[in-house]
Amino acid sequence: MELQNKNVFVTGSTRGIGLAIAKAFAQQGANIVLNGRKEISAELIAEIETFGVKCIGISGDISDFSSAKDMLEQAQEQLGEIQVLVNNAGMNNDKLLLRMKEEDFEDVLKVNLTGTFNMTQHILKKMMKQKAGVIINISSVSGLIGNVGQANYAASKAGVVGFTKTVAKEAAPRGITCNAIAPGFIATDMTDVLSDKIKAQINETIPLQHLGSPEDVAKTAVFLAQSPYITGQVISVDGGLVMQG
Ligand code: NAI
């Protein structure tokens, strides 16, 4: 898809990977909807507008079905039809399974998996009518190979993979693509909480020997949006951590 003047909704785009994705699309001339749970700052909107595109901020919780619908309707009212949805918003709450409370599991599933469902179902109705559209879901390598302390997170991200492939099959006849990106360890607030010792240990397990940047993930999102013959795929952006056959 040619991205100039297209409208791109990036969930969870006030910081980290989501913000980098928003900037990468803006760099290609796309108008941007920034989203997060809290109010989107005027500074952030102005920063995106420096790329010469329109940018609006719509705050709300993707894990709430009606709030997801409201946010997409507001975006369409202000910008017009949305051509690209990036389901990036996510959270983690790591602990060993034996210490994990029921709500620790459910809260993470509700944002990462149900939130992705909520946003996708609402936008898909529009995209089916438009007979065009791009959906990109941010999964994680944890969802592909599991990770100690992340039973809730890994289950949610594995769910995103199955969801992506199903949406890809259901939407393909209308020319809509749906793919997932599985980032490895990326330097953001989410990984900043790890100690230097843990980060050094992680680096030893990564063939490219360093954490990725949010921009590494963003480049892949733009690539997928520009690739009309790729659908139902999961692309790892992880320095070679998970090599799938
Ligand atoms: P982050 O914690 O820095 O940012 C998360 C963003 O999501 C924030 O803008 C936050 O406001 C928003 N958000 C969270 N819950 C929300 C909700 N219910 N409704 C609306 N917005 C909500 O996260 P980061 O590191 O940038 O991660 C982005 C995505 O990439 C997440 O889905 C995460 O699981 C995934 N990921 C991150 C990795 C990493 O190493 N940082 C590795 C693999 C995947």
Side-chain angles (χ1 to χ4, degrees):
M1 181 185 278
E2 164 58 49
L3 293 172
Q4 187 85 29
N5 297 323
K6 295 292 189 309
N7 299 324
V8 180
F9 195 124
V10 188
T11 68
S13 45
T14 57
R15 62 182 197 217
I17 293 171
L19 181 56
I21 290 173
K23 285 183 184 169
F25 275 99
Q27 212 161 17
Q28 298 295 320
N31 303 316
I32 303 295
V33 185
L34 291 176
N35 158 260
R37 272 166 307 185
K38 297 187 194 134
E39 202 179 330
I40 316 297
S41 74
E43 288 80 11
L44 214 48
I45 291 172
E47 203 181 325
I48 299 289
E49 285 174 341
T50 59
F51 291 98
V53 299
K54 289 184 213 156
C55 177
I56 58 171
I58 296 181
S59 56
D61 184 353
I62 58 153
S63 72
D64 182 291
F65 190 72
S66 60
S67 151
K69 185 168 189 260
D70 287 350
M71 290 192 291
L72 283 164
E73 279 173 359
Q74 278 180 53
Q76 281 153 358
E77 270 163 31
Q78 293 181 49
L79 280 184
E81 299 298 353
I82 303 295
Q83 284 85 18
V84 180
L85 169 68
V86 184
N87 284 307
N88 164 80
M91 63 170 289
N92 64 326
N93 183 0
D94 300 354
K95 48 191 77 163
L96 294 172
L97 181 61
L98 293 182
R99 295 196 187 130
M100 198 173 279
K101 296 197 180 84
E102 193 182 356
E103 60 264 31
D104 298 330
F105 189 81
E106 285 176 348
D107 290 351
V108 172
L109 265 285
K110 191 127 189 9
V111 173
N112 297 358
L113 184 55
T114 308
T116 299
F117 161 79
N118 292 342
M119 295 297 291
T120 305
Q121 199 194 47
H122 292 308
I123 199 78
L124 198 58
K125 284 181 190 155
K126 299 274 181 190
M127 287 181 173
M128 290 292 221
K129 281 193 196 133
Q130 289 162 218
K131 293 201 173 77
V134 170
I135 299 167
I136 299 167
N137 299 324
I138 306 300
S139 177
S140 165
V141 292
S142 290
L144 304 179
I145 58 170
N147 195 20
V148 172
Q150 293 196 317
N152 49 2
Y153 185 78
S156 72
K157 295 298 189 177
V160 167
V161 170
F163 179 77
T164 300
K165 293 180 181 182
T166 302
V167 173
K169 286 184 177 175
E170 291 186 7
R174 297 287 176 110
I176 299 159
T177 64
C178 180
N179 291 286
I181 299 174
F185 291 99
I186 307 296
T188 68
D189 289 356
M190 198 178 262
T191 46
D192 204 35
V193 291
L194 302 170
S195 68
D196 287 345
K197 192 177 159 203
I198 299 275
K199 280 185 193 156
Q201 284 170 357
I202 288 171
N203 286 344
E204 280 174 27
T205 67
I206 302 172
L208 286 175
Q209 298 179 352
H210 60 87
L211 265 60
S213 68
E215 290 71 26
D216 292 325
V217 181
K219 277 183 195 143
T220 310
V222 168
F223 162 74
L224 284 171
Q226 292 172 331
S227 304
Y229 202 56
I230 298 180
T231 197
Q233 304 303 309
V234 182
I235 301 190
S236 295
V237 179
D238 63 356
L241 187 64
V242 178
M243 298 192 187
Q244 300 177 88

